[in-house]
Amino acid sequence: MASRSPSASRKSAAARNPAPHRKPAVKKGAVAKPDAGRLPEWNLADLYASIDAPEVTRDLDRVDADCKAFEADYKGKLATETAKSDGGAWLAEAVRRYEAIDDLAGRLGSYAGLIHAGDSVDPAISKFYGDISERLTAASVHLLFFTLELNRIDDDVIERAMQAPELGHYRPWIEDSRKDKPYQLEDRVEKLFHEKSQTGYSAWNRLFDQTIAGLRFKVGAKELAIEPTLNLLQDRSPEKRKAAGQALAKTFKANERTFALITNTLAKDKDISDRWRGFQDVADSRHLNNRVEREVVDALVASVRAAYPRLSHRYYALKARWFKKKKLAHWDRNAPLPFAATGVIPWNDARKMVLTAYGDFSAEMAGIAERFFTDRWIDAPVRPGKAPGAFSHPTTPSAHPYVLMNYQGKPRDVMTLAHELGHGVHQVLAAKNGALMAPTPLTLAETASVFGEMLTFKRLLAQTKNAKQRQALLAGKVEDMINTVVRQIAFYTFERAVHTERKNGELTAERIGQLWLSVQGESLGPAIEIKPGYETFWMYIPHFIHSPFYVYAYAFGDCLVNSLYAVYEHAAEGFAERYLAMLAAGGTKHYSELLKPFGLDAKNPKFWDGGLSVISGMIDELEAMG
């Protein structure tokens, strides 16, 4: 249950709550059709039997006791004890105990988060989730001192101590933690930040979630929640898409003062934290969290923005032509293609498609993925109260990951299954590194998922002989990639504008809408007609609230995988082994070190152009099809 680092966002297993690893390109709100087949529900008994199981109380009490004992045994002693001749072995034992607490607390936090994700409307489950979160936060106060003191040990002392094999094992985690050193504050201030988070940004996050969940949108004669309303933007009926788009705009407009206040408050809260910690740029804390250099992200953003005309602008012009229009209204951007198949893909067929694609690449990878099916690590049905979208949650190394999705039998759902199982395989392979070194920074966390998706897509494409269905499959992949790369970089550009301007005072909802329209117009291009009301659509994006500047990691991962897949297509024997070794490294190596065996260098500006050219090449193929 490691304390929050100065970047205020790196989370240990204990602090991590299940959350989507990706923002689904298509929101899901409809009920799965019967012909998708029987869908599996996960078995959380591998964590705890139930919310009132005696083991939950036992483990909560143990976490409390262990945290207090840890503080009593080590607080104020790290510098002097580590400097002694046997300091390496002494500190290694402290880190081992710290990791054991993290693993146990991670089990509790994961169980509470997963059961809540499965049913967020049950009052008993909601109370359980809130109570567990409060208990873990309170217990973790006793651990805050550890990384703060660890980072204050002199460089030569810690280096000498790490010569002891027991402590040398933890070198990647120690060196990673010490990158936060320039940004950490005095212990009492860190404790205040930690405790006040519950009434500060965490409370505003909760207000956002509750407000979004409570909104209703009048579409025709129905009052719908946000998920089914967003889902109508992918309906085959143009009238329903338009009605949904207008309903979203109307309700957002009626609530703009609340969303503007939440956005302004959280941007100011972040500005205060950044100023106290000494971060220079509005996104530097996120870059530190992701262990990626600012210039690498800047190069990615510049490359994607320069590619807008040959990616999104060109594709949407093509899509408008398929609909026999010069322009598409913004509510038609994700409309299903007129020639796309309408049938439902049964769950067992989806399982076979993904496992076969994985197996063609690596028998070991397919074997790990198969356990998610056989051991009930997947929750697939759509249910009232269940979290939307999809995620793979790693839980903690002493357990195993769980996948949540809302399967409705669409081709995109098969891709989502492939995506989340990629995360799952990555998490299983990395677990051997332990609770402190298994987690992977976001920049590489999307690698395995997008690669698994690409393997499945390529197999489906090769099997599809019908020209129109092949075209639809290719177009669907391009849309997903545009949503992952172009749209997320536009989101990042918008966030930068909001946070930068917030330094000079509050932004009105109207001003935030103007910034939104500016970046959306640039990224979508002339073939998308932005109708009145779209200026409010910034209000529902959860990443802006929960994880500022998170979004560029999606583009990073997608472009990286495009380059990685190109290496795979031209590689001799041994690529799969190198790839699985990269995943198994978890958080023990910097992304640049992990990419070296593949001859890839993200610091080279041409690296991003190579990844973007894959998307451009697919659009070339679509244009050639007519």
Side-chain angles (χ1 to χ4, degrees), residues 278-587:
F279 289 112
Q280 298 301 309
D281 183 79
V282 292
D284 275 354
S285 60
R286 174 61 62 191
H287 302 332
L288 176 67
N289 171 64
N290 283 344
R291 299 310 190 228
V292 65
E293 302 77 11
R294 186 200 300 174
E295 58 269 25
V296 172
V297 178
D298 289 347
L300 164 66
V301 173
S303 294
V304 174
R305 290 182 72 176
Y308 286 169
R310 69 177 190 272
L311 299 180
S312 48
H313 297 190
R314 193 159 58 115
Y315 175 75
Y316 290 132
L318 192 58
K319 184 168 184 176
R321 199 159 74 234
W322 289 332
F323 280 87
K324 296 181 170 52
K325 294 181 178 180
K326 288 186 177 180
K327 291 186 176 185
L328 291 173
H330 69 258
W331 51 67
D332 290 331
R333 186 176 61 85
N334 281 326
L337 299 174
F339 45 81
T342 57
V344 171
I345 300 169
W347 173 256
N348 285 336
D349 289 1
R351 168 180 174 166
K352 184 178 179 182
M353 287 176 198
V354 176
L355 291 180
T356 303
Y358 275 30
D360 287 348
F361 175 75
S362 161
E364 182 183 355
M365 197 161 101
I368 296 171
E370 190 158 19
R371 291 196 65 192
F372 283 78
F373 298 95
T374 57
D375 295 354
R376 292 177 57 198
W377 297 353
I378 302 178
D379 193 85
V382 178
R383 291 190 303 271
K386 181 178 174 179
F391 62 71
S392 179
H393 183 57
T395 71
T396 197
S398 62
H400 56 76
Y402 283 96
V403 163
L404 175 145
M405 60 181 302
N406 289 269
Y407 189 81
Q408 297 176 71
K410 300 174 185 175
R412 269 203 178 104
D413 292 338
V414 180
M415 292 299 133
T416 298
L417 178 62
H419 181 105
E420 300 308 339
L421 285 175
H423 279 306
V425 169
H426 192 177
Q427 291 156 359
V428 169
L429 287 169
K432 67 176 177 58
N433 297 298
L436 299 181
M437 295 184 290
T440 307
L442 285 173
T443 40
L444 275 178
E446 291 299 322
T447 303
S449 53
V450 179
F451 194 83
E453 202 174 338
M454 184 67 89
L455 288 171
T456 307
F457 165 73
K458 290 284 189 178
R459 179 174 178 80
L460 280 174
L461 194 65
Q463 287 180 334
T464 304
K465 303 306 178 188
N466 179 285
K468 278 297 175 189
Q469 290 316 307
R470 183 181 172 83
Q471 186 178 7
L473 197 62
L474 196 59
K477 181 63 175 172
V478 168
E479 285 198 16
D480 280 349
M481 293 168 102
I482 286 173
N483 280 323
T484 304
V485 177
V486 170
R487 188 162 172 79
Q488 304 304 323
I489 292 302
F491 283 176
Y492 176 72
T493 306
F494 166 73
E495 283 188 281
R496 288 194 62 87
V498 169
H499 282 260
T500 301
E501 201 165 305
R502 179 65 181 89
K503 290 175 179 290
N504 301 319
E506 283 206 14
L507 284 71
T508 63
E510 181 184 13
R511 178 56 185 156
I512 300 173
Q514 289 170 352
L515 295 173
W516 173 258
L517 290 181
S518 172
V519 300
Q520 290 300 307
E522 178 194 23
S523 66
L524 297 174
I528 298 294
E529 184 179 0
I530 295 176
K531 300 279 193 178
Y534 191 61
E535 69 276 3
T536 64
F537 275 49
W538 56 271
M539 296 180 190
Y540 79 91
I541 310 296
H543 291 95
F544 299 159
I545 304 302
H546 297 309
S547 311
F549 304 109
Y550 175 107
V551 289
Y552 74 73
Y554 292 125
F556 192 109
D558 209 278
C559 289
L560 189 156
V561 165
N562 287 341
S563 298
L564 193 63
Y565 199 87
V567 174
Y568 165 55
E569 288 187 312
H570 299 97
E573 291 294 312
F575 181 92
E577 289 74 17
R578 280 181 287 153
Y579 174 77
L580 293 180
M582 177 181 75
L583 301 187

Side-chain angles (χ1 to χ4, degrees), residues 208 212 252-253 255-256 259 509 536-541:
F208 172 85
I212 281 287
F252 289 153
K253 180 68 177 174
N255 291 272
E256 65 179 2
F259 287 110
T536 64
F537 275 49
W538 56 271
M539 296 180 190
Y540 79 91
I541 310 296

Side-chain angles (χ1 to χ4, degrees), residues 34-57:
D35 47 357
R38 183 175 173 81
L39 301 177
E41 297 187 19
W42 54 27
N43 172 25
L44 298 179
D46 290 352
L47 298 173
Y48 294 98
S50 66
I51 62 175
D52 52 6
E55 290 81 5
V56 172
T57 304

